[in-house]
Each structure stands twice: as C-alpha cells, then as structure tokens.
C-alpha cells in the first residue's frame, strides 16, 4: 500500500509539473509604455510569430493599427532612395562638356556639333538637347528675375538697348569670324557684279538681292544669340518669338538699306534735279557703283557687329 501510495503521488506530481509547463508556454507578458500609450502583448512563443502592436487612441477616433515590420522593408526604402537619386538630372554643363557661364552663341555651336555627332543615337541626342534646353531656360528665367550672376558679360551688354528707337534699336553683338567672312563676301559680290556691268545699263538690283541675303543672315544670327522659349514647352510662345525675330531682322536690314540708299542715291538725285546742277559724266556713269559700295558696306557692318 505504501508503494502504491508513493506511485500515485509521483503521478500527481508529474501532472502538476505538466500543467505548470503548459501554463508557462501560454504565459502572456504585458508591457505598458505610459509616455507613448502603446501596449505590447507577447503571446505563446512560436518560431517566426510576428509581434502585434496596438496603440491606444482617444475615444471617438477609432483604432489605429501599426504595420508589423517585415524583413526587407529597410532594403526597399534604401533602394527607392537610390533610385530617386539616380533619376536626378545630371549637370547640363557637364553633359554638353562646357564650362558654366558659357555664352549663348558658343552653346549653340556646341549643340549643333552634338547633333551632327549623335544623329544616329536618338537617346544620346535627346540627352544633349534636354541639357541645352535646361541651360537656356535657366538663363532666361534668371534674366527675367533680374539675376545677372549667371549671365555672361556679352549678354549683359546686349541687354543694354539704346532708348532712341526703343527695343527695336540695333544691339551690339559681334558675329564669329566665319560669319563675318560670309557677310562681307555677299556685299563684295554685289559690288563686283555692279562694277563689271557696263555703265550704260548699270542698276542697283544686285545690292537689292544682297539686302535679301543679309536679312536672312540677320535672322539666323538672332536664332543663335536669342533662342527664346522652347517649342516643346510652349509652342505658341515659341512661334510668337520666332515671328518677332523675323520682323526684327527684316526691319533692321531694310531700315539700313533704305537710309543708306536714300543718303547716297535718292537725296543726291533730288538735289541735282531741283537746283539743276551740272553733274560730271563719270559720276553719273559710276553712281550705282558708289551706292553699292556704301550700301553693301553698311549692311555687312550691321550683320557683323549688331543684331
């Protein structure tokens, strides 16, 4: 009986220990953080079980559930930040390979060379055009705000327009050497054609044709030094600006032609006829040559040193 009683006591002790172990496995720990108002509950210890966190909120607002951190969340965040940093636009000056503050005419030459170089690579060409567009738009925006810190010295001088004719007055703007040669060659060709024509049939038509060429040259010069708004951003503004460039080129060249022709041809002939003056024959035979030299020289000087 004693042995049987001891065996029953040992069985009872074993059941108590098993019950305590079960209770310990289901033991719940509650931690309260008064400052944050957050209560964390840890349930039965299971491998890989997530921690459930709930936050107490004022009555009437509703419950708020904080998401459980998952493995890899930090990596995703870092990758997103890296992607954002990698998607940022590069320095447009470095893309074009020029120094910051390069004048507009030099930038136009650079982008034209890049277009020829990368004409078979659309992606690279688009990158170059976007960089050029960023520089031009930034320069225009700075000048509109009155910020001249990033504007070249030549651009500052070009902005100083004389007040005699307002914004339509000629603005000093020297052309590159090769453009000067072309402008001078146009005037020289017109003068040579007039001079080689017999004196009895000479006219000033060659210098009129030269004036048309000078107007086109002036328009191309304005396109280079004053690109204006981008057609990709604002097509209406770009069209309006292009029309203004055309009318400005036409007005400057035709105005110079009219003034120089009037001073050397119309006014002298009017004086000769009004006062019945005797004019030497050599002057009458070579008047068109003199007029062509003066008018052609004025037009070449205008397109070479003004805009």
């Amino acid at each position: 009986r004693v042995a049987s009683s001891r065996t029953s006591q040992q069985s009872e002790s074993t059941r108590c220990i098993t019950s305590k172990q079960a209770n310990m496995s289901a033991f719940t720990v509650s931690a309260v953080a008064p400052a944050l108002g957050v209560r964390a509950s840890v349930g039965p210890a299971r491998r890989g079980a997530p921690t459930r966190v709930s936050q107490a909120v004022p009555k009437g607002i509703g419950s708020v559930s904080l998401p459980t951190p998952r493995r890899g969340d930090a990596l995703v965040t870092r990758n997103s930040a890296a992607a954002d940093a990698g998607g940022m636009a590069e320095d447009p000056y470095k893309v074009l390979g020029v120094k910051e503050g390069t004048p507009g005419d030099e930038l136009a030459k650079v982008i034209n060379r890049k277009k020829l170089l990368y004409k078979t690579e659309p992606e690279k060409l688009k990158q170059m055009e976007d960089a050029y567009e960023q520089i031009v738009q930034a320069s225009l925006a700075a000048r509109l705000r009155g910020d001249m810190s990033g504007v070249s010295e030549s651009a500052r001088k070009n902005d100083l327009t004389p007040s005699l004719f307002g914004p339509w007055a000629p603005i000093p703007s020297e052309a590159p050497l090769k453009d000067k040669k072309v402008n001078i060659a146009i005037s020289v060709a017109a003068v040579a054609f007039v001079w080689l024509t017999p004196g009895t049939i000479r006219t000033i038509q060659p210098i009129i044709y030269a004036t048309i060429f000078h107007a086109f040259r002036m328009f191309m010069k304005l396109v280079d030094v004053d690109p204006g708004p981008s057609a990709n951003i604002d097509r209406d503004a770009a069209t309006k600006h292009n029309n203004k460039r055309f009318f400005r080129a036409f007005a400057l060249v035709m105005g110079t032609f009219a003034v120089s022709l009037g001073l050397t041809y119309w006014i002298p002939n009017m004086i000769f006829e009004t006062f019945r003056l005797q004019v030497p024959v050599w002057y009458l035979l070579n008047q068109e040559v003199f007029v062509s030299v003066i008018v052609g020289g004025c037009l070449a000087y205008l397109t070479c040193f003004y805009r």
Side-chain angles (χ1 to χ4, degrees):
R1 286 196 299 270
V2 173
S4 177
S5 176
R6 288 180 178 178
T7 302
S8 64
Q9 289 178 0
Q10 289 178 356
S11 300
E12 186 68 23
S13 299
T14 302
R15 286 196 297 270
C16 290
I17 293 173
T18 304
S19 177
K20 289 180 179 180
Q21 289 178 350
N23 291 334
M24 287 296 295
S25 64
F27 182 72
T28 301
V29 180
S30 298
V32 179
L36 299 177
V38 176
R39 182 179 296 104
S41 299
V42 181
R46 294 197 301 270
R47 183 179 181 85
T51 302
R52 302 173 65 182
V53 182
S54 61
Q55 181 173 358
V57 294
K59 185 177 181 180
I61 296 180
S63 61
V64 177
S65 298
L66 301 180
T68 303
R70 294 175 297 179
R71 182 180 179 83
D73 283 352
L75 180 61
V76 172
T77 304
R78 286 195 297 270
N79 290 341
S80 300
D84 294 341
M88 292 176 63
E90 299 181 7
D91 185 0
Y93 291 97
K94 292 183 180 180
V95 173
L96 292 178
V98 298
K99 296 181 179 180
E100 188 172 355
T102 304
D105 52 352
E106 294 295 331
L107 287 174
K109 294 178 183 178
V110 171
I111 191 61
N112 289 334
R113 289 196 295 266
K114 298 294 185 182
K115 288 180 179 179
L116 294 176
L117 182 62
Y118 298 108
K119 61 182 179 180
T120 58
E121 303 180 25
E123 295 182 359
K124 192 70 174 179
L125 179 59
K126 185 178 184 302
Q127 183 181 7
M128 296 296 169
E129 291 178 345
D130 291 343
Y132 176 72
E133 190 65 30
Q134 290 179 20
I135 296 174
V136 171
Q137 294 299 327
S139 178
L140 291 175
R143 293 169 70 179
L144 290 175
R145 293 194 308 267
D147 181 12
M148 295 296 179
S149 58
V151 181
S152 61
E153 188 65 23
S154 60
R156 296 180 187 181
K157 292 181 179 179
N158 293 340
D159 288 340
L160 300 177
T161 59
S163 59
L164 180 61
F165 299 102
W168 292 95
I171 302 173
S173 179
E174 186 173 357
L177 180 60
K178 65 175 183 179
D179 293 341
K180 292 180 182 178
K181 293 179 180 179
V182 174
N183 298 333
I184 294 174
I186 293 174
S187 296
V188 170
V191 172
F193 192 90
V194 174
W195 180 61
L196 294 175
T197 304
T200 55
I201 59 174
R202 280 177 182 161
T203 63
I204 60 173
Q205 287 185 358
I207 203 64
I208 295 176
Y209 297 143
T211 303
I212 298 175
F213 282 106
H214 279 294
F216 175 76
R217 295 287 300 174
M218 178 63 72
F219 175 75
M220 297 304 299
K221 184 178 183 179
L222 291 177
V223 171
D224 291 337
V225 301
D226 186 17
S230 172
N232 297 329
I233 300 176
D234 191 345
R235 182 175 297 275
D236 293 338
T239 302
K240 182 179 180 180
H241 190 78
N242 190 63
N243 293 337
K244 289 178 64 177
R245 281 189 303 220
F246 174 78
F247 286 119
R248 179 176 180 80
F250 185 83
L252 287 177
V253 174
M254 293 305 298
T256 303
F257 171 78
V259 172
S260 58
L261 184 65
L263 294 176
T264 57
Y265 189 79
W266 292 328
I267 293 180
N269 288 344
M270 187 181 300
I271 293 175
F272 297 154
E273 294 177 0
T274 301
F275 296 98
R276 300 178 182 273
L277 299 178
Q278 290 185 351
V279 182
V281 177
W282 64 268
Y283 178 81
L284 293 177
L285 294 176
N286 297 284
Q287 185 181 17
E288 288 80 5
V289 178
F290 300 146
V291 172
S292 299
V293 169
I294 296 175
V295 175
C298 293
L299 293 175
Y301 186 82
L302 175 70
T303 53
C304 287
F305 297 99
Y306 289 90
R307 65 174 176 90

